[in-house]
Amino acid sequence: MRDDLTGSGLLLRLGLRRDRLRLPIWTIAIAAFVPFFFNSLANTAGEDPQGAVDDLAQAQTMLDIFAGPVYGLDSVTLQKYFLMYTQEFLIAAALMSILLVVRHTRGEEQSGRAELVRSAVIGRHAPLTAALLVGMITNTVLAALLFLGALGIGFGAGDAALYGVSIAATGLFFAGVTAVAVQVVESGRAAGGIAGIVLAAASIGRGAAAAQGEDSVALWFSPMAWANLTKPITDPTWWPVLLTVGTGAVFAAVGYALSVRRDVGLGFFAPRRGRVAASRWLSSPFALAVRMQRRTILGWAVAMGLLGMVWGSLVGTVDAIEGSEAMFGTELERGYLSLLGVTQALLVGVFALTSMARVRSEEVDGRLDSALGTATGRFAWLGSWTLVTVLGTGLLLLLSGLGLGLAAFGATGHGALLGASVGGVVGRFPELLALIGASALLYGIGPRWQGLTWVIYGYGVIIRFFGQSLPEPVQQLSIFQHIPRMPVEEFSVAPVVYLSVGGVALVGAALFAFRRRDL
Amino acid sequence: MSTAVTVERLVKHFGQNRALDGLDLEVRSGEVHGFLGPNGAGKSTTLRILMGLMRSDSGSAEVLGADPWNDAVALHRRLVYVPGDVELWPTLTGGEVIDLLGRMRGGLDATRRAELIERFSLDPGKKSRTYSTGNRKKVALVAAFASRAELLVLDEPTSGLDPLMELVFQEEIERVRTEGRTVLLSSHILAEVERLADRISIVRDGVTVEHGTLADLRHLSGTNVEVTTSRPVTGLHELAGVVDLEQQGSTARFLVHGDALDAALKHVGEFGVTSLHSAPPSLEDLMIRHYDVSRGSDSQRRPEPAPDQQEVGDA
């Protein structure tokens, strides 16, 4: 048994060496949002935080779904207001931990490097142990940076520590969940997907539970609520941190147990046999791109549809007052739907970017030579993958809007909300078209540049949700600020046209650039 | 005789690294042409330029009378390419990949497909993710041999194959040759090229250093002689055309260039020959000689051994 851990220290150092840039970038980038969010709050609500929160609380359900449970609203300070942004930090810490564990475990096995490592004097548990230790170190650094950030915006030392530690603990929880996911399936992408589904489910569960009330028992079943339950400043409570880390440790233990019951490089289920010949339709680069993406698109379609239905069904609790506009839904209901529509479109943007990243991995993983060695032209190749992304994006937007609208209709009986929801979500298609075009162009110029599209995307998200106090030109730089928030704001044709034309032009430029470069 | 591939003074840089330094190559229609060189000599880079995956910095390349960069798609209907590192779509089965590649090339011969899967003992129902390197190679080779292309461009096609499968591969190349099709085969396995190739080009550091038939190259190089005489031979080293002389008692080993063979044999004959072995140099001898001779100047010209970096560029 003792030998099982042999080499963990060596692998830990190797892991830290490989992550020497990622670790500081992730943790500093996350912690940098502490002063950023706080300053933007100070700008908008510095005069009267209580009044600002009271306004927000009029749409209590919306608040709960995005930020809940929230505590201490009777005597609001800017610091308490800032705690409403805890979920954003939790999601970031969770994603960081999921990607980290996948990269150091299943990612290594998939690349074949793990064979080399495991054939050396390395214990069977050493790789997972090293990965989890890298995760612990990274989350500890994150906790320390968040602590410093919270001190800097006026938290007391105890509250700042609780704040930082509770977020890092959630990161560790997801490291544990990922330790199980990577044992079950053979590909890192699928393992990350499983952990991502757990994250999404925990997040949706948290929102739904919080909407029942801040003391709802259901909150204790949604790990994404546990950091909120430590209630810094209002009623500092440390033991939910133990619950979070402890549950994460249980998952990690399950991961260890599963890992010795499978072979290196294989999953928990034996790979199924497939067809010995291709079906008739698998005969073009487009068919190949569809085949490579269809499961991903299906998974996203189910998730986005369900998410829409959960969010839409809560619209009835937004506002009980029946106003004169009730026939078309109240102002608050439509405000709520427009916010959800924007959020769903941004989520579909994640699909669009990960889908475009697939064409890059075709090249980086070495499959492109075989494909372009056939009579497949470069236009057809990049065009096919881009088209599949565009079609998938359109489908997901439609399903998101339908889920949202149908559930809202069901909850309120206002038929107009259905059309408004579908229109509000699908109307954002040109934004994503422009995003896809940017991704395609950066890839067309060179595979190493494609990741920069995430900067365009991240900038847009930050501006959309947190950048209202910034100067107009800074906001207009974001591609997500041009199409009106329907159904609250009036539809206007111009941004739809110029974003669509821009997106198509970017794809055209991408094809041209891809045609000209070495592979 | 027409040419299938003509490459003249091809140059390609990767940053500071000069991968191709004026490489020439001529492949005649209907021949099996061996493209030999160690790792990092520029073989894969040349083939990728011929496939229109890369553009050369200068020099010219013509494949089947067309420009490999501008006419890539039309050209690829007439040839097949097997890359050095075969990577497949992990969720597709081998059978699906064979069909997909075939269809994207414009069709494949179903009878040959079945026959080749049998001959290479490939299980076409397994997901590509589960294939070993050798099996992935087999998938690409089955797809290549099942095509009706007039030119086959194969980058180290037998790396990863076991000896039995290498034999099958050689038989398939023979078959392609008898059908009058052309093969350009890069390799660093000398025995394979010696056995299959009609003509050979040897590259080193991005330049073609030798080309011709194996017989031509051997003639240039000479004959290995091992002779045992009743009295020790003297004065051999004074003869023109005799090199690499080693003497051990009554046995002498040396290499003699083609036109000096007669004089050398007459000379040793005077010492009472008791046994005589002569053999044409193997391709391996040719290669080793070539690389040994040039290594001194080579290492001065390039203090950092570039081949490794170049492999990265190739991949």
Side-chain angles (χ1 to χ4, degrees):
Chain A
M1 277 308 282
R2 199 184 49 202
D3 287 348
D4 284 352
L5 292 175
T6 303
S8 299
L10 193 66
L11 290 183
L12 170 62
R13 289 202 295 279
L14 175 66
L16 289 174
R17 167 71 174 69
R18 288 188 57 210
D19 274 6
R20 69 193 188 287
L21 279 178
R22 283 198 187 87
L23 191 154
I25 288 175
W26 267 102
T27 51
I28 293 172
I30 294 173
F33 282 97
V34 172
F36 176 80
F37 285 165
F38 188 79
N39 286 337
S40 95
L41 287 180
N43 285 335
T44 51
E47 307 280 311
D48 177 20
Q50 184 72 55
V53 172
D54 286 346
D55 286 348
L56 274 181
Q58 290 203 343
Q60 182 72 41
T61 307
M62 209 191 312
L63 185 62
D64 285 332
I65 286 171
F66 281 97
V70 289
Y71 300 98
L73 292 188
D74 40 350
S75 62
V76 175
T77 60
L78 269 182
Q79 284 75 19
K80 279 190 190 172
Y81 193 173
F82 168 77
L83 285 174
M84 287 190 192
Y85 288 111
T86 303
Q87 286 302 316
E88 281 76 7
F89 288 94
L90 293 179
I91 290 170
L95 287 178
M96 173 183 81
S97 302
I98 290 170
L99 293 174
L100 184 151
V101 173
V102 168
R103 186 168 62 244
H104 286 283
T105 54
R106 186 53 81 172
E108 289 293 282
E109 286 184 49
Q110 233 183 336
S111 71
R113 285 191 288 269
E115 302 255 315
L116 205 59
V117 167
R118 286 284 291 271
S119 65
V121 188
I122 297 291
R124 65 177 70 240
H125 285 322
L128 182 56
T129 305
L132 291 174
L133 285 174
V134 174
M136 279 186 201
I137 291 170
T138 308
N139 277 294
T140 306
V141 171
L142 178 64
L145 291 173
L146 290 173
F147 166 74
L148 292 175
L151 275 185
I153 62 167
F155 276 52
D159 291 321
L162 182 56
Y163 173 73
V165 170
S166 64
I167 288 169
T170 305
L172 283 180
F173 171 84
F174 282 97
V177 169
T178 314
V180 176
V182 295
Q183 312 303 332
V184 179
V185 285
E186 274 183 37
S187 86
R189 203 193 301 272
I194 291 175
I197 288 169
V198 174
L199 171 60
S203 216
I204 294 171
R206 173 203 53 76
Q212 321 249 315
E214 61 198 37
D215 299 318
S216 162
V217 178
L219 287 171
W220 295 102
F221 295 97
S222 41
M224 289 297 278
W226 295 345
N228 294 43
L229 289 168
T230 60
K231 306 177 192 171
I233 306 177
T234 308
D235 176 18
T237 318
W238 275 88
W239 66 266
V241 172
L242 292 180
L243 173 69
T244 315
V245 176
T247 319
V250 170
F251 274 107
V254 173
Y256 278 111
L258 290 180
S259 77
V260 295
R261 289 174 174 77
R262 67 176 184 90
D263 297 325
V264 174
L266 299 184
F268 217 60
F269 306 103
R272 281 168 304 173
R273 285 182 58 83
R275 318 167 56 103
V276 295
S279 65
R280 190 182 295 268
W281 70 273
L282 184 61
S283 58
S284 65
F286 180 75
L288 175 66
V290 170
R291 173 72 189 269
M292 291 294 107
Q293 298 265 51
R294 65 180 182 191
R295 275 190 168 178
T296 314
I297 293 175
L298 189 68
W300 271 88
V302 171
M304 291 307 297
L306 284 178
L307 183 67
M309 283 159 76
V310 171
W311 283 356
S313 64
L314 293 166
V315 76
T317 61
V318 165
D319 189 17
I321 309 158
E322 294 286 324
S324 56
E325 309 159 290
M327 228 178 83
F328 308 101
T330 65
E331 193 64 34
L332 265 174
E333 282 169 357
R334 289 192 285 145
Y336 170 80
L337 286 176
S338 77
L339 178 61
L340 295 185
V342 167
T343 311
Q344 287 199 312
L346 290 173
L347 284 175
V348 175
V350 174
F351 160 79
L353 290 190
T354 50
S355 172
M356 285 308 291
R358 297 286 283 267
V359 71
R360 176 182 176 274
S361 58
E362 286 296 303
E363 177 172 1
V364 175
D365 297 347
R367 294 184 288 269
L368 187 58
D369 280 17
S370 291
L372 291 189
T374 69
T376 297
R378 296 189 185 198
F379 278 18
W381 180 255
L382 182 54
S384 296
W385 285 83
T386 308
L387 182 59
V388 169
T389 303
V390 169
L391 294 178
T393 300
L395 177 73
L396 293 181
L397 286 178
L398 185 62
L399 290 174
S400 301
L402 276 177
L404 194 62
L406 283 174
F409 172 46
T412 62
H414 300 316
L417 290 182
L418 174 57
S421 300
V422 174
V425 180
V426 176
R428 314 209 76 84
F429 182 63
E431 291 175 342
L432 298 183
L433 195 61
L435 189 68
I436 292 167
S439 181
L441 178 58
L442 285 167
Y443 169 72
I445 292 168
R448 78 180 77 170
W449 304 114
Q450 199 190 26
L452 288 178
T453 329
W454 285 103
V455 175
I456 300 173
Y457 175 81
Y459 181 78
V461 172
I462 291 164
I463 294 293
R464 168 55 84 180
F465 288 117
F466 317 110
Q468 265 75 32
S469 57
L470 294 171
E472 192 64 20
V474 177
Q475 293 195 33
Q476 289 297 310
L477 265 181
S478 158
I479 55 172
F480 300 120
Q481 293 300 120
H482 299 263
I483 293 183
R485 264 177 55 178
M486 294 164 286
V488 173
E489 296 167 357
E490 282 287 304
F491 175 77
S492 73
V493 178
V496 169
V497 171
Y498 66 67
L499 282 172
S500 302
V501 170
V504 171
L506 285 171
V507 172
L511 294 175
F512 184 71
F514 184 58
R515 176 73 180 79
R516 294 183 60 81
R517 76 167 165 90
D518 283 352
L519 303 175
Chain B
M1 186 177 272
S2 63
T3 54
V5 176
T6 316
V7 169
E8 277 168 5
R9 297 183 306 281
L10 212 56
V11 174
K12 179 73 185 175
H13 295 264
F14 295 115
Q16 291 290 314
N17 185 6
R18 211 172 163 87
L20 297 183
D21 198 5
L23 183 132
D24 298 306
L25 176 68
E26 189 200 57
V27 180
R28 296 176 187 159
S29 294
E31 75 175 0
V32 176
H33 194 100
F35 193 37
L36 266 175
N39 294 329
K43 302 189 298 292
S44 292
T45 306
T46 308
L47 296 190
R48 296 189 82 232
I49 290 173
L50 293 180
M51 294 307 300
L53 297 169
M54 279 184 173
R55 229 186 322 200
S56 59
D57 296 336
S58 68
S60 69
E62 201 181 79
V63 179
L64 300 176
D67 180 297
W69 179 269
N70 290 318
D71 308 328
V73 172
L75 198 50
H76 294 181
R77 288 186 219 286
R78 302 168 57 196
L79 56 79
V80 292
Y81 169 58
V82 174
D85 293 313
V86 176
E87 296 295 338
L88 306 174
W89 295 273
T91 53
L92 298 189
T93 64
E96 285 178 310
V97 172
I98 291 169
D99 288 341
L100 175 68
L101 288 177
R103 289 170 191 173
M104 294 207 301
R105 273 176 194 134
L108 83 176
D109 184 329
T111 324
R112 290 282 290 140
R113 177 190 185 277
E115 190 181 309
L116 286 159
I117 285 176
E118 180 75 32
R119 294 206 68 199
F120 279 104
S121 47
L122 180 75
D123 178 352
K126 281 170 71 175
K127 301 270 185 195
S128 299
R129 188 194 343 262
T130 64
Y131 282 135
S132 65
T133 316
N135 278 325
R136 289 203 302 272
K137 203 101 204 190
K138 286 189 207 167
V139 169
L141 287 174
V142 168
F145 286 127
S147 79
R148 306 177 194 93
E150 49 197 289
L151 171 66
L152 285 77
V153 179
L154 312 176
D155 193 357
E156 307 210 343
T158 55
S159 69
L161 291 189
D162 64 46
L164 276 178
M165 291 304 127
E166 263 181 63
L167 279 179
V168 175
F169 170 78
Q170 289 171 5
E171 287 162 20
E172 288 303 326
I173 292 288
E174 282 304 334
R175 177 184 185 126
V176 169
R177 192 213 311 268
T178 53
E179 288 167 356
R181 300 195 270 165
T182 312
V183 180
L184 172 56
L185 171 88
S186 98
S187 181
H188 52 219
I189 301 168
L190 303 158
E192 176 178 294
V193 173
E194 203 160 6
R195 178 154 181 177
L196 293 175
D198 300 310
R199 293 198 318 131
I200 295 164
S201 296
I202 300 180
V203 283
R204 175 172 57 84
D205 294 339
V207 191
T208 312
V209 289
E210 295 281 4
H211 63 96
T213 64
L214 193 55
D216 291 342
L217 299 188
R218 278 174 175 152
H219 179 75
L220 282 176
S221 177
T223 309
N224 283 315
V225 177
E226 182 184 310
V227 60
T228 310
T229 46
S230 43
R231 285 166 289 128
V233 183
T234 56
L236 252 183
H237 59 276
E238 289 162 16
L239 285 180
V242 172
V243 289
D244 293 356
L245 179 63
E246 272 178 60
Q247 280 186 284
Q248 249 182 347
S250 56
T251 302
R253 286 186 205 88
F254 57 89
L255 176 86
V256 57
H257 288 302
D259 38 7
L261 183 61
D262 185 48
L265 287 184
K266 277 181 181 147
H267 181 83
V268 296
E270 291 165 18
F271 298 87
V273 176
T274 56
S275 98
L276 176 75
H277 275 292
S278 82
S282 67
L283 199 47
E284 200 158 4
D285 291 329
L286 294 181
M287 291 274 289
I288 288 171
R289 183 156 298 116
H290 221 100
Y291 286 94
D292 269 353
V293 167
S294 50
R295 195 161 292 159
S297 62
D298 194 40
S299 59
Q300 276 170 5
R301 195 155 60 87
R302 227 187 249 173
E304 283 290 312
D308 283 346
Q309 298 167 1
Q310 198 169 310
E311 274 302 296
V312 174
D314 280 356

